[in-house]
Amino acid sequence: MSTHEETVVHHDIGESPEGENRPIARPAGANTSSGARRIIFLVLLAIALILPALLKNFVVFQLTQTMVYAIAILGLNLLTGFNGQFSLGHSAFYAVGAYTAAIMMEHMGVGYVWTLPVAGVICFILGFLFGLPALRLEGVYLALATFALAAATPQILKLSPLEHWTGGVQGIVITKPDAPFGLPLNQDQWLYYFTLIVGIILYICATNLVTSRTGRALMAIRDNPIAARSMGVNTSLYKASAFGLSALYTGIAGALGAIIVQFVAPDSFTLTLSIGFLVGLVVGGVGWLPGALFGGAFLLFVPNIAEGVSKGLSGAVYGLLLIAIIYVMPSGLAGFVQAIVNKVRGK
Amino acid sequence: MELLFQQILAGISTGAIYACMALAVVMIYQAIDHLNFAQGEMAMFSTFIAWQLIEKGVPYWLAFLITVVVSFIGGVAIERIVFKPIEHAPVLSHVVIFIALYSVINSMAGFIWDFTVKSFPSPFGSSPLFGSTLISSHQGGMVAVTLGLLLLLYLFFSYTSVGLAMRAAAANPASARLVGIRVSWMTALGWGMAAAIGSIAGMLIAPVVFLEPNMMISILLYGFAGAVLGGLTSPGGAVLGGFAVGVIENLAGTYIPVIGAELKLPIALVVIVVVLVFKPAGLFGRVVVSRV
Amino acid sequence: MTKLLEVKGLTAGYGQVRVLHGLDFSLDEGGVTTLLGANGAGKTTTLRAICGMVKAGGEILFEGKNILGKSTEDVARLGVAHIPEGRGTFTRMTTEENLLLGAISRKDQKNVQKDIDKMYDHFPRLKQRRLQQAGTLSGGEQQMLAIARALMLRPRLMLLDEPSFGLAPLVVKEMFEILTALNKEENASMLIVEQNAALALGIADDAYLLETGSIVMSGPAKQIGADENVRRSYLGY
């Protein structure tokens, strides 16, 4: 692997030479040089800035939703990258973020911008507290624990004692914010730019974190927990922090999602959403942060495409598309991009 | 006290469903070292095949037998066709394929047999058992079949060389190859057996919950929970775990007032997670002893 | 005299890293050959290549037929028993199940029980541990078990990867005595890879010296052991 992969979460847990202990995901990352990387980034940014002016409002809304999902998947990516584990419970954090935003805006009259950090902090704490005991579990056991979280969330949101705040089954309707400072943008366009800004900030934080000392320490723990423990490192504290961080990202995505959809209700946050995040994570490529955007787009658009192909068999079409993607790119878009880059360089 | 007893009995009777499914879950876990999210749908599809045969006038037990055989072949085929080409892909990619299969099978069943609820016959009848309306003769039969299957599996894995080879292939594929075991065929065999057991589970469950494409969704989850609670490495533990989940779910629903029926599943899961935090390999799972 | 194993121009590697650069060596029926060399010389890779566990090029003739490119399980079924690095114990199974697994691809299943009894004669310690989880055996016992498991195949050829690794000197001595006896009594052909050159040369007929993926010296074990340079570099006296 190259030395400048700011965006790559290394990922080679216990892969023996004969590959018998398969990693849960393979390291991936596009080996472009940092100069080329910067140019690509700027071009994409320019395109991203122009798009709202060219597209219909509904499409702009869809792109915003894609970015929101991408942020949530980014959170999941951090968990898988740092802890080498996956979660089926991230719909819960997405829900908590969404309800935090909705309750603050509609019951307390707080401005939407301020709901994001609050949602992030609340989700970090919840994720940390959940992770502390749960991360003693591994693999399928953790999957079951996180799954319990996902299954419980809609039911808890519907509980009658909380109805005053959550609105019960009805949920909460949110007023859409206008563009500030008299900017000549409609609401959808403004939310697009707002989400773009938040997304870029979170993305940069994530890439920096991955290459930071703390990030490396976390990955060292993941790769050799026994060594870390015997050196006196409290591994569960670190792992719980990573889980909290992952929840923070997904929580902020939830808050953004609530603001752009203008509505929260318990049944939007079921296990299906968690599974969607997981699918998005894998098709984008575990360990490759830009892949999250592709994952987000997949999550939003592919079910619609499947519906378009055949109404009666949309589930089958969706499944077959998914299988086809994994066949073509077993390690997600990340591995695919890497293969192309390698080919171009004539390796 | 009377209520407690009745709720436990009711729990055991629903638990029989979960136990049956948990057994299929453990079977596939042994073969592929992972949970298969599409397993419930495979069982559902098998049950529809049985239903179709019975509708066409095939006697119950013949239909039963044909379904088990067809499911076995189907399971082997899925492994060979879908998973063999990507056997070296990362585990998470496999998880995504499970999700895709789930979607495909569910959608196809809906397309072929539509989403209306169908009733499915029971070979054991539905008269009350032991003079209690809480447990019927069908549920009694279900418990018996589950325990019978368990015994067969135990004998198969302990005393036949194919069973031994399957265990070896799952536990240590590299070494298994070195002694000449065809590991990839063992995996396919595991899929086939899991599909066959799943089909039996489906046919036993269908008379209770009625047959429709979404019938297995929550049952598979309870089956997972039971298997994990009992220990994924232990078929007997999984069956016990399935019964335990049924009882826990019923008691939680009855005795924790705020919760009511809606929160039954989450509460049951929380109890299981708490158990797991203290016993990470499940109640009856074997902790792997290894020298570092 | 026909060779049991004849390797010609063997190359192998992991990914883009090439580890072996064209090895030539051979092994007589009933003989013991050892491959010596430092860490990373390519000894383990050579054994892996013979068993189809790594991508390899060249020719590997086993009983005159090229087995290069065959799958690991097919090579095993031809009668090549490989005791890998780390011994490959089925840790969750009992000692006896491990022995049964050794014979699992054999056609003559009715003789298996007789062979297990024979193994218990060779290794009485294993008999005491018959129904114990193999992962709980001591390192020495696990190595005995690995050798016994390999013999259960009634192999034409045994490949041993660092049999002395991680064992106490006394245990190592005992084990090499057993290997010598097995070679004599069972006429078992062996290819032994060792870092402990003195021990390996003591039992082997022929020896090959590996350095970074190439053979730098070969000959009868006695002659190699007497070589001044070899003694200084590998035997340390």
Side-chain angles (χ1 to χ4, degrees):
Chain A
M1 298 193 103
S2 66
T3 50
H4 53 258
E5 293 160 330
E6 300 93 329
T7 54
V8 170
V9 180
H10 290 267
H11 215 285
D12 32 30
I13 330 162
E15 189 171 23
S16 51
E18 73 272 28
E20 283 305 346
N21 298 319
R22 275 183 302 146
I24 75 165
R26 203 160 280 154
N31 273 322
T32 43
S33 65
S34 59
R37 187 182 286 273
R38 200 158 294 153
I39 292 168
I40 292 172
F41 178 76
L42 289 175
V43 170
L44 286 178
L45 186 64
I47 295 173
L49 287 174
I50 298 168
L51 274 179
L54 307 173
L55 298 169
K56 280 192 241 135
N57 274 344
F58 181 67
V59 182
V60 173
F61 165 78
Q62 282 188 317
L63 290 178
T64 314
Q65 181 75 64
T66 300
M67 286 192 285
V68 169
Y69 283 152
I71 295 170
I73 293 169
L74 200 59
L76 202 55
N77 220 327
L78 287 175
L79 175 70
T80 311
F82 279 141
N83 280 5
Q85 287 167 329
F86 68 96
S87 160
L88 287 173
H90 269 46
S91 62
F93 301 114
Y94 192 87
V96 169
Y99 269 86
T100 304
I103 291 171
M104 283 178 75
M105 285 168 71
E106 292 307 312
H107 289 298
M108 303 175 183
V110 181
Y112 64 96
V113 178
W114 303 108
T115 66
L116 300 188
V118 176
V121 169
I122 290 178
C123 284
F124 178 85
I125 295 170
L126 286 179
F128 183 85
L129 292 179
F130 177 81
L132 213 46
L135 290 173
R136 291 186 51 189
L137 308 172
E138 279 171 5
V140 285
Y141 300 101
L142 181 67
L144 187 83
T146 54
F147 164 74
L149 193 64
T153 303
Q155 313 291 0
I156 291 171
L157 290 172
K158 284 178 196 165
L159 282 185
S160 44
L162 300 176
E163 209 165 309
H164 171 67
W165 293 100
T166 60
V169 189
Q170 306 296 326
I172 305 170
V173 177
I174 301 169
T175 324
K176 214 172 202 175
D178 289 316
F181 322 121
L183 288 171
L185 299 167
N186 65 33
Q187 290 169 327
D188 285 325
Q189 288 170 331
W190 163 242
L191 282 176
Y192 172 89
Y193 287 118
F194 180 66
T195 307
L196 184 64
I197 293 165
V198 173
I200 289 175
I201 293 172
L202 288 174
Y203 178 80
I204 292 172
C205 288
T207 55
N208 285 334
L209 191 76
V210 169
T211 46
S212 71
R213 274 178 68 100
T214 322
R216 285 183 207 284
L218 281 166
M219 284 180 266
I221 290 171
R222 177 200 68 203
D223 291 340
N224 201 337
I226 294 173
R229 229 173 285 141
S230 62
M231 280 156 65
V233 178
N234 187 340
T235 53
S236 54
L237 207 64
Y238 274 94
K239 285 171 108 179
S241 307
F243 201 88
L245 191 75
S246 162
L248 177 146
Y249 270 74
T250 307
I252 292 177
L256 277 169
I259 295 167
I260 64 162
V261 180
Q262 298 171 267
F263 178 60
V264 293
D267 290 329
S268 324
F269 308 113
T270 58
L271 183 67
T272 315
L273 185 64
S274 277
I275 291 177
F277 290 154
L278 186 68
V279 169
L281 171 71
V282 173
V283 299
V286 180
W288 191 52
L289 301 186
L293 206 55
F294 179 73
F298 185 92
L299 185 49
L300 185 67
F301 293 109
V302 173
N304 291 341
I305 296 172
E307 191 100 351
V309 173
S310 160
K311 258 210 138 52
L313 279 170
S314 65
V317 174
Y318 173 80
L320 291 176
L321 278 173
L322 205 49
I323 292 175
I325 285 194
I326 297 294
Y327 269 49
V328 178
M329 336 188 276
S331 301
L333 183 68
F336 193 64
V337 169
Q338 173 133 45
I340 289 175
V341 170
N342 285 349
K343 199 158 252 176
V344 168
R345 290 187 171 178
K347 271 192 202 165
Chain B
M1 201 58 218
E2 177 72 21
L3 180 68
L4 176 70
F5 179 71
Q6 283 188 346
Q7 286 303 325
I8 290 179
L9 201 62
I12 289 176
S13 110
T14 30
I17 302 175
Y18 308 151
C20 215
M21 202 61 216
L23 198 57
V25 167
V26 166
M27 190 62 235
I28 194 86
Y29 186 79
Q30 291 292 344
I32 62 175
D33 211 29
H34 224 278
L35 298 177
N36 173 5
F37 296 100
Q39 195 161 23
E41 301 313 289
M42 287 163 61
M44 174 273 294
F45 203 88
S46 299
T47 311
F48 264 112
I49 294 174
W51 177 83
Q52 191 74 68
L53 289 169
I54 293 170
E55 282 290 292
K56 290 255 188 289
V58 179
Y60 181 90
W61 289 110
L62 183 61
F64 185 93
L65 193 70
I66 295 173
T67 304
V68 170
V69 172
V70 168
S71 304
F72 179 85
I73 296 168
V76 172
I78 287 182
E79 199 281 334
R80 291 280 99 178
I81 296 165
V82 182
F83 286 94
K84 186 82 198 354
I86 53 159
E87 59 182 342
H88 297 298
V91 172
L92 269 182
S93 300
H94 281 198
V95 172
V96 166
I97 297 281
F98 294 142
I99 294 167
L101 273 180
Y102 171 96
S103 185
V104 171
I105 298 173
N106 183 282
S107 168
M108 276 179 29
F111 187 75
I112 301 173
W113 291 291
D114 73 50
F115 285 88
T116 54
V117 172
K118 295 170 178 61
S119 67
F120 193 87
S122 163
F124 309 110
S126 55
S127 52
L129 197 65
F130 311 127
S132 162
T133 47
L134 285 169
I135 187 161
S136 70
S137 57
H138 174 72
Q139 271 139 345
M142 206 150 106
V143 174
V145 171
T146 305
L147 295 179
L149 265 180
L150 186 62
L151 181 69
L152 281 179
L153 279 181
Y154 172 76
L155 295 175
F156 173 76
F157 279 115
S158 305
Y159 296 107
T160 69
S161 59
V162 179
L164 184 64
M166 278 179 76
R167 280 196 290 149
N172 193 340
S175 288
R177 279 191 199 100
L178 286 177
V179 296
I181 294 170
R182 302 197 190 282
V183 170
S184 104
W185 273 107
M186 292 300 135
T187 311
L189 201 57
W191 270 86
M193 286 176 63
I197 295 170
S199 75
I200 295 175
M203 286 184 279
L204 290 175
I205 292 165
V208 185
V209 300
F210 297 108
L211 181 59
E212 52 110 5
N214 293 323
M215 74 181 223
M216 294 304 281
I217 292 176
S218 60
I219 290 171
L220 178 65
L221 302 180
Y222 284 112
F224 278 162
V228 170
L229 178 66
L232 280 163
T233 50
S234 144
V239 167
L240 263 175
F243 283 118
V245 169
V247 173
I248 293 170
E249 175 205 35
N250 249 295
L251 293 183
T254 314
Y255 286 99
I256 311 179
V258 212
I259 284 159
E262 279 286 281
L263 270 180
K264 265 171 148 185
L265 170 66
I267 290 296
L269 289 172
V270 167
V271 171
I272 292 156
V273 169
V274 171
V275 170
L276 286 178
V277 167
F278 291 102
K279 285 210 62 132
L283 288 175
F284 306 97
R286 220 179 322 177
V287 177
V288 181
V289 190
S290 63
R291 286 162 179 267
V292 181
Chain C
M1 184 172 167
T2 56
K3 301 280 186 190
L4 181 64
L5 179 74
E6 207 169 353
V7 172
K8 293 177 187 166
L10 181 66
T11 59
Y14 301 95
Q16 310 197 344
V17 186
R18 181 168 273 203
V19 179
L20 302 179
H21 310 279
L23 305 189
D24 298 285
F25 64 91
S26 61
L27 178 77
D28 291 324
E29 176 91 59
V32 176
T33 294
T34 180
L35 296 177
L36 304 174
N39 262 335
K43 307 182 302 274
T44 297
T45 308
T46 308
L47 296 192
R48 285 167 166 273
I50 294 171
C51 287
M53 296 168 84
V54 291
K55 254 210 158 75
E59 250 188 311
I60 302 171
L61 300 176
F62 180 67
E63 299 185 304
K65 276 185 239 118
N66 195 358
I67 57 166
L68 190 104
K70 273 193 189 294
S71 71
T72 306
E73 45 266 48
D74 286 336
V75 174
R77 279 161 187 260
L78 286 174
V80 177
H82 180 173
I83 303 170
E85 235 176 349
R87 307 180 190 112
T89 311
F90 296 94
T91 50
R92 275 185 266 180
M93 300 190 191
T94 64
T95 301
E96 182 138 328
E97 282 174 332
N98 267 272
L99 293 177
L100 281 170
L101 279 166
I104 201 144
S105 58
R106 264 168 57 177
K107 301 272 182 304
D108 56 330
Q109 287 294 319
K110 60 181 192 304
N111 296 326
V112 168
Q113 195 51 50
K114 213 171 63 200
D115 283 7
I116 287 183
D117 292 337
K118 206 160 83 186
M119 289 309 137
Y120 288 148
D121 288 343
H122 281 306
F123 308 99
R125 286 258 281 292
L126 294 183
K127 189 167 189 176
Q128 294 164 20
R129 305 263 186 263
R130 214 165 72 86
L131 299 176
Q132 197 171 321
Q133 252 191 58
T136 64
L137 301 187
S138 75
E141 287 164 348
Q142 282 196 37
Q143 189 65 52
M144 305 289 169
L145 177 58
I147 292 169
R149 196 187 66 220
L151 286 168
M152 287 299 296
L153 185 66
R154 290 205 175 163
R156 307 272 299 120
L157 170 65
M158 285 172 78
L159 310 177
L160 294 101
D161 197 344
E162 304 260 0
S164 74
F165 185 81
L167 300 183
L170 268 179
V171 181
V172 173
K173 192 162 162 280
E174 186 192 347
M175 200 190 57
F176 270 83
E177 279 163 8
I178 293 174
L179 287 178
T180 313
L182 285 173
N183 175 238
K184 300 256 147 52
E185 292 163 23
E186 311 261 328
N187 199 29
S189 317
M190 301 177 189
L191 178 60
I192 303 179
V193 147
E194 258 299 345
Q195 278 193 46
N196 190 333
L199 271 172
L201 288 171
I203 177 175
D205 306 314
D206 297 305
Y208 294 82
L209 207 59
L210 238 64
E211 243 171 53
T212 57
S214 306
I215 290 172
V216 292
M217 191 186 277
S218 63
K222 284 208 181 65
Q223 194 183 323
I224 298 268
D227 187 278
E228 184 88 9
N229 289 324
V230 174
R231 244 175 45 205
R232 253 193 237 124
S233 322
Y234 294 96
L235 301 174
Y237 57 87

